[in-house]
Amino acid sequence: MVFNVKRKRYIVTIEGNGSTQQAVIVAYDTEEMSWLIKKLYGHLLIDQKGQRVGRFSFEETELG
């Protein structure tokens, strides 16, 4: 059985800790993309006390 699931490109803007960064994430869905953002850019989203100090927004496109 073969699944025809395509990955998507997410152009992400991360704002937090006084800086703004952009990244391109390739993932199967928004859940995986969100997990990768938290893993790679968590230091911008959460401060040392564990408080949310950042946010991210994204634009989704299909990979061709």
Side-chain angles (χ1 to χ4, degrees):
M1 179 183 278
V2 177
F3 293 99
N4 191 13
V5 179
K6 292 188 175 188
R7 295 184 296 172
K8 298 175 184 170
R9 177 186 304 120
Y10 297 92
I11 301 170
V12 183
T13 302
I14 304 122
E15 301 175 33
N17 282 336
S19 70
T20 300
Q21 293 188 16
Q22 285 194 318
V24 176
I25 303 291
V26 176
Y28 287 104
D29 55 27
T30 56
E31 185 177 322
E32 182 183 17
M33 180 269 305
S34 181
W35 179 83
L36 286 167
I37 293 296
K38 290 173 185 172
K39 179 180 177 183
L40 298 171
Y41 298 97
H43 63 283
L44 296 175
L45 301 172
I46 299 174
D47 68 6
Q48 293 178 349
K49 295 178 183 177
Q51 302 294 317
R52 292 197 84 160
V53 294
R55 62 183 180 182
F56 66 90
S57 58
F58 63 92
E59 181 181 325
E60 176 182 321
T61 59
E62 294 285 332
L63 286 176

